[in-house]
Amino acid sequence: MKAYGIYDHQSERHGSDMLHWMQYVKGYVSIKVWGYSTERFLNLCGNHDILVWDIENHGDYYTMKVSVKGFFALKTLLKKTGTRASVLERHGLPFFVPKIRRRKIFAAGLILCLFFWLFTARYIWDIQIEGNYSLTDDILLDYLESQGIHTAMEKENVQIEKLEMQLREEYDMITWASLKIEGTTLIIQIRENEVPEYDSSGQSSLNDGEHADSPAGGKDIVAAKDGVIVYMITRKGTPEVAVGDTVEKGQLLVSGAVPVYNDDTTVRKYQYYEADADILIAYDKSLFVEKQTVYQDKEYSGREKKILLFGFQDKEWNLSAGKIPYEIYDISGEKKQVQLLDHLSLPVFYGTKYAKEYTLVEKEHTEEEMQQIMQAEWDKILQTLEEKGVQITRKNVTINKGNDKWILNIKMQLVEEAVSIVNNTTQQIPDVENEAESETEVSEE
């Protein structure tokens, strides 16, 4: 049934949050209505602008909610319709405040919590970094610390635009950075470029066709390892070596100084570019990995001690009584930071950790286990080389078995882009003709 001023709970479940807040501030009661003509009673509530909601029909009686002011206005309607009403529950501030007055310690704690929340909301208690792949969180957090950005600092001291610019200037691979503060969390979003580029100042690359007329504007490519050139394509700059040449570490491969010739094939001047080339260098590398057959293993006794912990900022306290009764033990567990909302973190954390007792027992690997260990070491080396883009063109892997240790010997020929970018140091050739003309003009005067 619906009438003016009457709202069915099922149909109006998603009402305005503001309306619910106002109802809580003014106070309301849950009531039970029964008697001769309950439907007429509901219609009269609508006619007299008495708001009731969350109406539920239980057969012999109805339950509903009504404001405190509206409840006192029901007396005449109940008498007129021959119905009766009783209060089931009381809700809202008008009923909550008197309870607080009777519980002074609780009221004081509530006020202190409010002031604590208002105080801590002025600070940064969590730093989240998104979009970083090459740069780890630890690297960026250490840099932020060096710039005075850390947890427990006031929000107003965080200079967003300045910090965004500093991140882009400090790390060439960061092409875009955005910072924002949500609640007590500083959110740093960055975008990385896979290949850092450099210009004359070491920041970003020159466009194709651009050049500078000073040595500071040029970049050379030099060898980063001793080896043999097996592949080379030069896109910009002057090649100084060719495929098949043996080179040493630091040797110039491609010069960023491109000569401009006179008619008599002499060099008139240099134009400076950032040298650009694909160069692969082959070199030999030897590795050996040594693993002992005897090792110490942890043997847990099954005894453990549970420890509750509580922390504030960088301090931590154990809430469990007594010391850990074990001589040797592992500590494991987790702790959580208190969050009121998604990005509203407090400098308070709690958690549980466990101290697990163990003893060290000497054991010896079997031959099958040693084979698996050495294979795992070789797989780890292969994975590392693959991640770095290094090709293996030749390899010789042997395993020397001993009584107390096994040795993995590896001899490989590797091919990779083992080059470095350095500043060009070629000096510009003086313009002799212009100097001579200037001297002639001076003598004529």
Side-chain angles (χ1 to χ4, degrees), residues 303-307 320-326 331 353-357:
R303 297 198 302 166
E304 65 180 25
K305 180 179 176 62
K306 183 178 180 181
I307 305 170
S320 301
K323 296 183 178 179
I324 298 175
Y326 315 131
I331 292 289
K353 57 185 180 182
Y354 297 88
K356 299 180 180 181
E357 183 188 32

Side-chain angles (χ1 to χ4, degrees), residues 130-244:
E130 302 172 357
N132 56 313
Y133 298 99
S134 301
L135 297 171
T136 64
D137 287 355
D138 291 337
I139 292 176
L140 292 173
L141 289 174
D142 288 343
Y143 174 74
L144 293 174
E145 184 74 28
S146 69
Q147 300 300 313
I149 305 299
H150 52 82
T151 56
M153 69 175 298
E154 293 190 43
K155 295 179 186 177
E156 61 183 20
N157 292 334
V158 181
Q159 301 180 23
I160 299 294
E161 295 182 359
K162 180 180 179 182
L163 190 56
E164 290 174 346
M165 182 179 65
Q166 288 176 335
L167 284 170
R168 292 192 297 267
E169 290 179 349
E170 179 68 19
Y171 299 101
D172 300 314
M173 63 183 62
I174 296 180
T175 58
W176 176 82
S178 174
L179 279 73
K180 61 181 177 180
I181 297 176
E182 291 188 3
T184 58
T185 303
L186 174 62
I187 301 177
I188 302 175
Q189 297 173 317
I190 65 174
R191 189 175 299 151
E192 297 179 353
N193 185 11
E194 295 182 357
V195 181
E197 301 174 342
Y198 302 90
D199 65 3
S200 59
S201 60
Q203 300 301 323
S204 59
S205 64
L206 291 168
N207 294 328
D208 290 340
E210 292 183 355
H211 63 271
D213 289 327
S214 63
K219 298 286 182 179
D220 293 342
I221 299 177
V222 299
K225 295 180 182 294
D226 297 342
V228 178
I229 303 294
V230 294
Y231 178 83
M232 182 172 181
I233 293 181
T234 304
R235 286 184 289 271
K236 189 184 298 183
T238 304
E240 302 292 336
V241 294
V243 173

Side-chain angles (χ1 to χ4, degrees), residues 155-433:
K155 295 179 186 177
E156 61 183 20
N157 292 334
V158 181
Q159 301 180 23
I160 299 294
E161 295 182 359
K162 180 180 179 182
L163 190 56
E164 290 174 346
M165 182 179 65
Q166 288 176 335
L167 284 170
R168 292 192 297 267
E169 290 179 349
E170 179 68 19
Y171 299 101
D172 300 314
M173 63 183 62
I174 296 180
T175 58
W176 176 82
S178 174
L179 279 73
K180 61 181 177 180
I181 297 176
E182 291 188 3
T184 58
T185 303
L186 174 62
I187 301 177
I188 302 175
Q189 297 173 317
I190 65 174
R191 189 175 299 151
E192 297 179 353
N193 185 11
E194 295 182 357
V195 181
E197 301 174 342
Y198 302 90
D199 65 3
S200 59
S201 60
Q203 300 301 323
S204 59
S205 64
L206 291 168
N207 294 328
D208 290 340
E210 292 183 355
H211 63 271
D213 289 327
S214 63
K219 298 286 182 179
D220 293 342
I221 299 177
V222 299
K225 295 180 182 294
D226 297 342
V228 178
I229 303 294
V230 294
Y231 178 83
M232 182 172 181
I233 293 181
T234 304
R235 286 184 289 271
K236 189 184 298 183
T238 304
E240 302 292 336
V241 294
V243 173
D245 290 351
T246 301
V247 296
E248 298 179 353
K249 182 178 180 179
Q251 182 176 337
L252 179 63
L253 305 181
V254 180
S255 174
V258 178
V260 178
Y261 295 97
N262 293 311
D263 294 337
D264 58 357
T265 69
T266 58
V267 178
R268 179 183 176 185
K269 66 174 183 177
Y270 290 100
Q271 291 182 341
Y272 299 94
Y273 296 86
E274 178 185 345
D276 185 14
D278 291 334
I279 303 173
L280 296 179
I281 297 178
Y283 60 94
D284 294 329
K285 188 174 185 65
S286 298
L287 296 173
F288 80 94
V289 180
E290 183 179 292
K291 291 293 181 180
Q292 301 291 331
T293 57
V294 178
Y295 68 100
Q296 287 188 328
D297 192 21
K298 295 179 181 179
E299 193 169 273
Y300 290 92
S301 65
R303 297 198 302 166
E304 65 180 25
K305 180 179 176 62
K306 183 178 180 181
I307 305 170
L308 301 178
L309 61 91
F310 174 81
F312 179 77
Q313 292 190 19
D314 56 347
K315 296 182 179 180
E316 181 180 309
W317 297 275
N318 294 332
L319 303 182
S320 301
K323 296 183 178 179
I324 298 175
Y326 315 131
E327 183 178 356
I328 306 176
Y329 55 88
D330 274 341
I331 292 289
S332 61
E334 62 177 359
K335 55 185 178 182
K336 298 180 180 180
Q337 189 171 7
V338 177
Q339 281 190 313
L340 299 181
L341 299 173
D342 289 342
H343 297 291
L344 187 58
S345 302
L346 297 181
V348 179
F349 59 88
Y350 63 94
T352 304
K353 57 185 180 182
Y354 297 88
K356 299 180 180 181
E357 183 188 32
Y358 69 88
T359 55
L360 291 175
V361 180
E362 192 171 273
K363 295 183 179 180
E364 185 174 357
H365 289 295
T366 64
E367 183 171 336
E368 182 180 355
E369 289 175 341
M370 290 302 299
Q371 290 176 348
Q372 293 175 352
I373 292 173
M374 304 311 281
Q375 181 63 45
E377 291 295 326
W378 171 236
D379 292 341
K380 189 187 302 182
I381 294 172
L382 289 177
Q383 182 180 357
T384 302
L385 294 175
E386 183 180 349
E387 290 175 353
K388 293 181 178 181
V390 180
Q391 304 174 27
I392 302 177
T393 57
R394 187 173 63 248
K395 64 179 182 292
N396 182 20
V397 182
T398 59
I399 297 178
N400 297 325
K401 305 176 183 179
N403 293 328
D404 59 345
K405 63 183 177 181
W406 285 30
I407 299 176
L408 177 69
N409 286 301
I410 306 169
K411 294 183 179 180
M412 302 177 289
Q413 185 182 70
L414 305 178
V415 175
E416 67 171 308
E417 194 173 358
V419 298
S420 300
I421 306 296
V422 298
N423 291 327
N424 180 273
T425 57
T426 305
Q427 296 298 319
Q428 188 61 269
I429 297 176
D431 193 343
V432 180
E433 294 181 1

